[in-house]
């Protein structure tokens, strides 16, 4: 019996090593193929990030799952999502406005990549070593967790769809530059008047033509709007990075 256990252990270690080598790579590679011209950029950034997530988060998580005997596929799907979340948050949170508009929807993409990696790891390294008799409560907990993650991702992806509009900045009593976001009144090209968020460090320029992004609220499904630039000044959204001479060239109002 001891000899049989010694024979099984190296085999399990080999399968685990194979999973850590292959599972992070496959989902990122497939996603890169779908990204067209950004293929190499995504590979160069995504592959190292996937391996870091697998080692820093995935390895300790695998130890915990084996200790708890939670070796069903849905646990590894959720584990893959957990490995991808920090990098999704880092990417989505690179700018506050970008996070508000696209952040959670971008996270769904990272969750899908992480989930695919977790399933790949389970198939390569865990599937054949899973116990024959499974605990009912562990299966129920795992399935409930899987359903909650799936429903949340579908909800965010569906309601996080954004639309682009053109409009006009209305005249109102606001400072030209602010270190925090402001609520502004704008007129859309279809004649509708709405409130929008003017991101911090994006100048307020009355009577100017603007670009607007909109998506529905995740809470009450109402339409939310953000001003994301001016038609006559394409680089004004990076105001903080412009030289003083470039800033002086941009008029404070239009028309």
């Amino acid at each position: 019996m001891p000899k049989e256990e010694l024979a099984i252990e190296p085999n399990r270690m080999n399968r685990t090593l194979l999973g850590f080598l292959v599972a992070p790579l496959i989902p990122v590679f497939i996603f890169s193929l779908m990204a067209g011209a950004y293929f190499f950029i995504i590979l160069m950034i995504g592959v190292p990030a996937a391996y870091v997530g697998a080692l820093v988060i995935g390895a300790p998580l695998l130890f915990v799952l084996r200790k708890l005997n939670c070796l069903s596929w849905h646990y590894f799907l959720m584990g893959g999502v957990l490995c991808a979340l920090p990098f999704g948050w880092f990417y989505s949170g690179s700018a506050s406005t970008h996070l508000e508009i696209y952040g959670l929807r971008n996270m769904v993409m990272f969750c899908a990549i992480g989930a695919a990696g977790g399933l790949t790891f389970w198939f390569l390294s865990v599937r054949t070593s899973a116990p024959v008799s499974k605990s009912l409560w562990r299966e129920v907990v795992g399935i409930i967790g899987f359903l909650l993650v799936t429903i949340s991702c579908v909800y965010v992806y569906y309601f996080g769809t954004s639309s682009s509009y053109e409009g006009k900045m209305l005249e109102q009593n606001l400072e030209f530059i602010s270190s925090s976001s402001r609520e502004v009144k704008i007129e859309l090209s279809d004649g509708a008047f709405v409130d929008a968020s003017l991101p911090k460090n994006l100048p307020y320029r009355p009577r100017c033509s603007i670009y607007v992004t909109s998506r529905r609220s995740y809470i009450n499904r109402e339409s939310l709007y953000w001003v994301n630039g001016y038609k006559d000044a394409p680089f004004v959204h990076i105001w903080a990075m412009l030289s003083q001479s470039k800033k002086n060239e941009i008029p404070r109002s239009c028309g």
Side-chain angles (χ1 to χ4, degrees):
M1 191 66 173
K3 291 183 179 180
E4 184 179 351
E5 290 179 354
L6 290 174
I8 292 174
E9 190 64 27
N11 187 36
R12 189 174 78 170
M13 290 179 62
N14 290 337
R15 289 200 307 270
T16 301
L17 180 60
L18 176 65
F20 274 111
L21 290 176
V22 175
L25 178 63
I26 292 179
V28 176
F29 181 76
I30 293 174
F31 178 75
S32 300
L33 291 176
M34 300 166 57
Y38 298 99
F39 173 78
F40 289 106
I41 295 176
I42 292 177
L43 274 185
M44 287 189 294
I45 298 174
V47 171
Y51 279 113
V52 170
L55 291 175
V56 175
I57 300 176
L61 187 59
L62 175 63
F63 176 80
V64 172
L65 290 177
R66 280 182 168 159
K67 282 291 183 181
L68 297 176
N69 206 19
C70 297
L71 301 177
S72 298
W73 62 270
H74 29 73
Y75 284 105
F76 284 82
L77 181 147
M78 292 186 289
V81 169
L82 188 61
C83 290
L85 283 181
F87 300 99
W89 186 261
F90 176 79
Y91 169 80
S92 301
S94 56
S96 58
T97 304
H98 188 275
L99 178 62
E100 290 176 10
I101 304 174
Y102 309 107
L104 285 180
R105 200 166 193 260
N106 285 342
M107 292 289 282
V108 173
M109 174 188 69
F110 284 93
C111 287
I113 294 173
L119 285 176
T120 303
F121 182 88
W122 175 84
F123 185 83
L124 292 174
S125 305
V126 182
R127 178 176 57 96
T128 56
S129 63
V132 177
S133 58
K134 298 179 180 179
S135 168
L136 178 60
W137 73 266
R138 278 197 295 265
E139 293 300 299
V140 170
V141 169
I143 291 173
I144 291 175
F146 161 71
L147 290 175
L148 288 176
V149 170
T150 302
I151 292 171
S152 299
C153 288
V154 171
Y155 181 87
V156 167
Y157 190 82
Y158 178 72
F159 286 108
T161 304
S162 60
S163 302
S164 298
Y165 301 93
E166 293 185 9
K168 183 178 180 180
M169 180 69 73
L170 300 179
E171 192 145 9
Q172 50 215 290
N173 185 25
L174 287 173
E175 65 273 32
F176 179 65
I177 286 290
S178 173
S179 59
S180 59
S181 298
R182 295 149 287 174
E183 199 76 12
V184 294
K185 303 283 186 181
I186 63 172
E187 180 183 2
L188 299 178
S189 55
D190 61 3
F193 294 88
V194 299
D195 294 328
S197 175
L198 183 67
K200 62 181 180 180
N201 291 324
L202 183 63
Y204 160 66
R205 303 172 63 227
R207 302 184 299 279
C208 291
S209 297
I210 56 177
Y211 295 113
V212 182
T213 300
S214 174
R215 69 161 173 82
R216 282 175 288 181
S217 168
Y218 295 121
I219 300 174
N220 55 24
R221 303 184 191 177
E222 292 181 355
S223 294
L224 304 174
Y225 298 89
W226 288 265
V227 178
N228 57 22
Y230 293 89
K231 294 179 69 174
D232 67 327
F235 298 108
V236 74
H237 66 284
I238 55 170
W239 177 266
M241 299 173 61
L242 295 177
S243 63
Q244 190 58 48
S245 61
K246 293 294 184 182
K247 291 179 180 179
N248 294 336
E249 292 175 3
I250 299 174
R252 294 197 169 211
S253 62
C254 302

